[in-house]
Amino acid sequence: MNTPMPPAEELALIDRELAQLDARRLYLLGRRDWLLRLLQQAGPAPAPVRWGPAASAAPTTGPAKDASAPSAQNVLLVLGAVLLAVAALAFTLVSWGSMGIAGRSAVLVVVTAAALGAPVLLLRRGLRSTAESVAAVGLLLTVLDAYALYAVGMPELDGTGYAAGAAAVLAAAWAGYGSGLRKLRLPLPAALLAAQFPLPLAALAGQPGALELGWALLATAALDAALALRVKAAAVPAAVMGAGALLIGVARAWSADSAAQAVAPAALLLAGAALAVAVAWREPRASAAALVGGLASVVALGGLARPGLDPAWVVLVHLLLALPLLAAVRASALPAAVRRGLARGGAVVASVAALAAGSAVALTLPARVRVLAEVWASTTPDREPYGPGSAVTVTLLISAGAAWWLSRALSRPEPLVVAVVLAWAGLFTAPELLGFPVAAVLAAQLVVTGAAGLLALRSPVLGARIAAGVCASAGAANVSLGALDGRAATFAVWGLLGVGCAAGAAYRAAPRAVRAGAAVCAVGYATGVLVAAGAVTDLAVVWWSLPVLAVPALVAALGPRLGEVRLPAEIAAGAAGGLAVALSAGRPGTLALVLALAGVICAGAAVRPERRVLGWAAGALFAAATWVRLAEAGVTAPEAYTLPVTVPALVVGLLRRRRDPRASSWAAYGPGLAATLVPSLLVALEDRDWVRPLVLGLAALALTLIGARRRLQAPLLLGGAVLAVVAVHELAPYVVQVAGALPRWVLPALAGLLLLAVGATYERRLRDARRLRDAIGRLR
């Protein structure tokens, strides 16, 4: 084929024309759809013409159908069947008595035979849905026939017994009918449903009682389970009937007043357990059946021991019976479904037992909070007032051992976490539950707490380490509360706990987070012991603060020797220093002394290069001590004491700036300026004269201007802040006076105008604020 232009150019031209054609086609298709919708809204539209290669194959578009043909057919058939059923019921209940025996028999035979025979012809013609509907009417007619036969021919028979026999006959007849007509889906399920009633109804008719009904239900479940091997649908009624039988057995076992009365329910439960395990043995996916069987066997054997035992011991007996079920997880001779089901059943029983025992333990732990109402009152009796016996402790420890064994058997860490918690709960509360003397209780709980802390330090499993740490913290808090009831107990328990926490913080092989927590607890216990020592001396509370300062002093002295736990220890020490300041707040002289000593500690720590920031804290504490001392002395002119500090401080800052121009103005001038501005401002706020505010305002204005001129951040911000506070303080009375003289609507109106102005220029104000922030940030 000859080309009038180069192939590449012609190909590009063809591509452009095809793209234009595609765009035009899309536009025309959209226009066509819009016109079709317009015509449909106006009235019936002519069938649109199909364009394109698929025009001959595409069907003509018509109005959408409200319902498909099969769904409409099913609705009609269901309605027809319902109407026929209603007619049959009306005939049986109303018109039956107006006919003779021959007429009744003829009607029964003809109508039932017609209803059951019609599906044969309908299936041959392919009318399966219609055949299903007619067959449903025929099955209903057989039920009505059975009722009519009883009402007319056998009214003297027992109704329950007749119903049992009728259900058996109907189940067999429907099963045979469904087997003959395999295409019908209704007869066989109906036969399976009818087969559930003969044995329970026969049991109720013969010897009405719960256990007899339970055995009948269990027998029915066994037949259903056997049938389920071939028909999967039989598994559902088997589960329902078996559950009913087991529920009856459980109710009777728990309500038995003696072991002799519990034998019959136990036999029913054991039979149900055997059936459930047999089902799981044959069906690999039926591990739930084995679980139910395991639970039923535990309840059966536990029910024999329940009468005559306390509830706590009943829980322990059930736990002991569940241990063999847990051991089934390692029984390789059992099928996998049986193994899993039995092990899960044992785990369920063990969990319930642990929760029951834990509820008794939970009552003992918070009981010690009552000590806070009266510290060192020695109100605790010689023995703890708990006494549920050793069953709770044994239950917790056995549950812990089972969880630990399960963790080893399954090679999973989750049961190990549960084992740690249960073991701690059992061992920690055992002395209280067993009624040991208080001293022995505290000693034993200290040992358990230390063991939990050691496990938190050395356990290789993360979950167990976290659980042990939580248990150790809870145990330490609980035993610390209990020790507050006596002075000797407080010093002994808190001292030992503090030493143990310090040892844990020094154990370098432990995780960092655990060591940090131990360091914080060690500082806390040291602080508590020193507060208790101050309380023993019968000194005033303000003097307790002096020994407390020894804690931050010791932490500051150790410094780098603390290693990785240095920062958390210093934070805890800072909290101890804050406690010392709070304790000394009742007397200004003591408060000034404590602030000065705290400043000395911070200054000593600031000697180290990595803690230079504490120099600010030291300066603030020294200034605060000075201000407190001046306030105590009744000084009304603090400038006489602060200016001699400010002037040399500013000179030192100036020299530093000359030597290091990159030094911050806050480091150079901030402490010196704050030493005079802050005390003067506090006095000026209470001064009713105008001289001090005026002088302070002028000085602040000068500092603000100098800071803006020299581009220094500290003078600018400090001077500006002081100037603003002084101005507001001086103008406040006049503003209040003017506001009181104005009408009440003026202030809301002015506020509204201000909001409108700010909102209208929001973006502009935001840019101005950002420029101001950047400008201040560029200052030194």
Side-chain angles (χ1 to χ4, degrees), residues 259-304:
Q261 294 181 2
V263 172
L268 176 61
L269 289 172
L270 290 176
L275 175 61
V277 173
V279 170
W281 200 291
R282 292 294 302 271
E283 177 56 51
R285 294 174 295 179
S287 61
L291 185 149
V292 174
L295 294 177
S297 62
V298 171
V299 175
L301 299 178
L304 296 175

Side-chain angles (χ1 to χ4, degrees), residues 70-268:
S71 62
Q73 178 190 20
N74 292 334
V75 171
L76 293 177
L77 292 175
V78 170
L79 289 177
V82 170
L83 292 177
L84 287 177
V86 171
L89 287 173
F91 170 77
T92 303
L93 298 177
V94 179
S95 302
W96 183 262
S98 60
M99 302 180 64
I101 296 177
R104 300 173 187 176
S105 302
V107 169
L108 284 174
V109 172
V110 172
V111 174
T112 304
L116 295 177
V120 178
L121 301 177
L122 293 174
L123 289 175
R124 290 178 182 177
R125 295 179 176 272
L127 302 176
R128 182 174 177 177
S129 299
T130 307
E132 290 281 359
S133 300
V134 176
V137 175
L139 297 180
L140 177 62
L141 287 175
T142 57
V143 177
L144 297 178
D145 292 345
Y147 168 73
L149 181 62
Y150 170 74
V152 175
M154 309 176 198
E156 69 282 357
L157 295 180
D158 178 64
T160 306
Y162 178 81
V169 173
L170 290 175
W174 291 352
Y177 182 70
S179 300
L181 299 176
R182 291 285 186 178
K183 294 183 179 181
L184 294 180
R185 293 174 293 182
L186 183 61
L188 289 179
L192 180 61
L193 180 61
Q196 309 306 310
F197 297 100
L199 292 180
L201 291 177
L204 293 177
Q207 294 180 353
L211 286 178
E212 289 75 11
L213 178 60
W215 282 106
L217 292 175
L218 186 60
T220 305
L223 295 176
D224 291 335
L227 182 62
L229 297 177
R230 298 184 59 185
V231 181
K232 298 299 182 183
V236 175
V240 174
M241 292 296 170
L246 293 179
L247 289 176
I248 291 175
V250 170
R252 297 290 293 179
W254 285 351
S255 62
D257 296 330
S258 62
Q261 294 181 2
V263 172
L268 176 61

Side-chain angles (χ1 to χ4, degrees), residues 333-742:
L334 298 176
V338 177
R339 234 179 12 249
R340 290 194 303 269
L342 293 179
R344 290 171 181 171
V348 169
V349 175
S351 301
V352 174
L355 289 175
S359 62
V361 168
L363 298 177
T364 65
L365 295 178
R368 283 178 168 170
V369 179
R370 69 181 187 275
V371 177
L372 296 176
E374 201 171 359
V375 178
W376 288 358
S378 298
T379 56
T380 302
D382 294 337
R383 292 180 179 271
E384 294 285 356
Y386 311 111
S390 58
V392 172
T393 300
V394 176
T395 299
L396 288 173
L397 296 180
I398 291 178
S399 300
W404 174 81
W405 180 86
L406 196 62
S407 175
R408 296 290 300 273
L410 300 178
S411 299
R412 296 187 62 86
E414 294 84 358
L416 182 60
V417 175
V418 177
V420 170
V421 175
L422 293 177
W424 171 82
L427 294 174
F428 189 83
T429 58
E432 294 181 68
L433 297 175
L434 298 177
F436 283 9
V438 175
V441 169
L442 294 178
Q445 290 181 343
L446 278 175
V447 173
V448 174
T449 301
L454 184 61
L455 182 62
L457 292 173
R458 304 192 61 178
S459 175
V461 182
L462 177 61
R465 189 163 60 239
I466 295 175
V470 173
C471 291
S473 301
N478 190 265
V479 74
S480 299
L481 286 175
L484 285 175
D485 195 56
R487 297 188 179 186
T490 300
F491 285 103
V493 171
W494 288 22
L496 290 174
L497 288 175
V499 172
C501 292
Y507 186 66
R508 299 186 180 277
R512 182 176 181 179
V514 177
R515 293 182 59 204
V520 172
C521 292
V523 173
Y525 278 114
T527 305
V529 169
L530 291 175
V531 171
V536 170
T537 60
D538 293 332
L539 294 175
V541 176
V542 294
W543 295 109
W544 299 0
S545 57
L546 295 179
V548 172
L549 285 176
V551 174
L554 178 60
V555 173
L558 293 176
R561 298 180 182 178
L562 296 176
E564 295 180 344
V565 300
R566 180 182 181 183
L567 182 59
E570 289 178 344
I571 294 174
L579 175 62
V581 173
L583 291 173
S584 64
R587 182 178 298 174
T590 309
L591 176 60
L593 176 61
V594 170
L595 289 172
L597 293 176
V600 172
I601 295 173
C602 290
V607 173
R608 296 187 176 94
E610 68 276 7
R611 291 294 183 265
R612 295 295 190 194
V613 68
L614 292 178
W616 289 87
L621 290 170
F622 285 139
T626 303
W627 299 339
V628 171
R629 181 66 68 181
L630 293 176
E632 182 188 16
V635 174
T636 58
E639 293 82 5
Y641 300 90
T642 58
L643 284 176
V645 177
T646 296
V647 173
L650 293 178
V651 172
V652 172
L654 180 62
L655 295 177
R656 180 181 179 184
R657 287 273 297 175
R658 287 182 178 180
R659 187 169 58 252
D660 183 12
R662 294 178 298 177
S664 171
S665 63
W666 287 103
Y669 306 123
L673 293 176
T676 295
L677 290 177
V678 176
S680 299
L681 179 61
L682 295 176
V683 176
L685 294 179
E686 298 180 358
D687 194 353
R688 296 184 179 181
D689 199 0
W690 57 273
V691 178
R692 183 184 301 278
L694 177 61
V695 175
L696 182 60
L698 291 175
L701 177 60
L703 287 175
T704 304
L705 295 176
I706 292 173
R709 176 72 176 175
R710 299 292 184 180
R711 301 180 61 82
L712 299 175
Q713 194 177 104
L716 177 63
L717 295 183
L718 285 175
V722 173
L723 180 61
V725 173
V726 171
V728 171
H729 179 265
E730 293 301 313
L731 293 178
Y734 302 101
V735 173
V736 173
Q737 184 177 0
V738 172
L742 292 176

Side-chain angles (χ1 to χ4, degrees), residues 711 713 766-779:
R711 301 180 61 82
Q713 194 177 104
L766 188 59
R767 289 195 299 270
D768 294 342
R770 288 172 179 169
R771 284 197 293 269
L772 178 61
R773 181 195 62 188
D774 296 338
I776 293 176
R778 288 192 295 270
L779 300 180

